[in-house]
Amino acid sequence: MGIFNFFSKEKQETLDKGLEKTKNSVFSKLSRAIAGKSKVDDEVLDNLEEVLVTSDVGIETTLRIIKRIEDRVSRDKYMGTSELNAILKEEVAALLAQNNTGEMLDFSNPSDKKPYVIMVVGVNGVGKTTTIGKLAYQFKKAGKSVYLGAADTFRAAAVEQLVIWGERVGVPVVKQQMGSDPASVAFDTLSSAKANDADVVIIDTAGRLHNKVNLMNELTKIKNVMQKVIPDAPHEVLLVLDGSTGQNAFEQARQFTKATEVTALAITKLDGTAKGGVVIGISDQFKIPVHYIGLGEGMEDLQVFSKDEFVESLFK
C-alpha cells in the first residue's frame, strides 16, 4: 500500500491522459537538450532553461529550478545527463511542496465552517462557471448540500449557464434580474444557505479586467455584504485560470491578486495543451496553493490537485 492510495486508478488515468501533451512536449525537448552529452554542464543547463521557459514554467521559476540544479552539480562534482530527469522531478516536487502544504485530499467539506463560502473569480472564458458546476457536483457527491449564487449579473449567459449547471447537478441557484447588484445576490445566497443549513456556498462573480479599480471595488463590496450574514466569509477566494493560455494565465493571476486576496487556484483546460508547466510556475510565483485542476469536459474531470500525483504523472 503506497501513500497515494486515495487516488483511484480512474483518476490517475485521467491525470496521465490530461498531462500527456505537456509531458510529450517537455521530454521531447529535454531529450534534444541533452543529445550527445554525458554530463550536466553549462550547455545542458542553458538548454534545460530553454526547455522550461518554452514549457510555460515561467522565467522566475525556471531560474530557481536551474539554480538548484547548479548547486547540486557543483556539490556532487559530476552529474550524468541520465540523472537529470530524476533530479528535475525532485526539484519540481520540492517547489510545489513549498506552496501546497496541507493540501486537500478530496471534495469533502474543506473546513469546519458551515456553510463554507467560496467566492470564485477569474476572467470570462477561462471555464469559471463550468468549474463551479463541477465543484457543486463533486461536493454533492461527497454528501454535502450546496448553494450556488449567480453574482455575475452583467452577462445573461453567465446566469443562464449557472442555472443550467444547478439543474444538471440538482442544487439550488440564487439569482436576480440582469444588472442587479452582485453583492445583493451574494447576500441572498448566503441568507438562503444559512437558513437551510447548507454545507457549501459557491458564489460566481463577474470577470472583467478592463477596469481594475471597479473590479477591486466590486469584489470588496461583495465580501463586505457577505460578512453581514456570515462574519468570516468568504472562507476561500478561488481564482480560476485557463492553463492553455500559458503566460497569459500568469498575467491574469497578477491582476486578480492585486484586486483581491486570492487564497486558492483552479487551473483548467490542461488536457488540451502542452502548457501544463503553468501549474508549476503560477504556484511558485504567487505562493498560492493549487486546489483543483481541470482535465476534460466530464463532471469527474475536475480533480483535487495532488502535488505528488501531478509530479509522478508528469515525469512518468
Side-chain angles (χ1 to χ4, degrees), residues 287-306:
K287 310 300 178 196
I288 298 169
V290 179
H291 276 188
Y292 311 105
I293 52 175
L295 298 158
E297 296 300 315
M299 294 270 213
E300 301 281 353
D301 294 336
L302 182 74
Q303 291 190 0
V304 168
F305 178 71
S306 161

Side-chain angles (χ1 to χ4, degrees), residues 237-241 253 262-267 282-283 288-292:
V237 178
L238 180 69
L239 172 60
V240 181
L241 298 168
V262 175
T263 62
L265 301 172
I267 301 180
I282 288 174
S283 171
I288 298 169
V290 179
H291 276 188
Y292 311 105

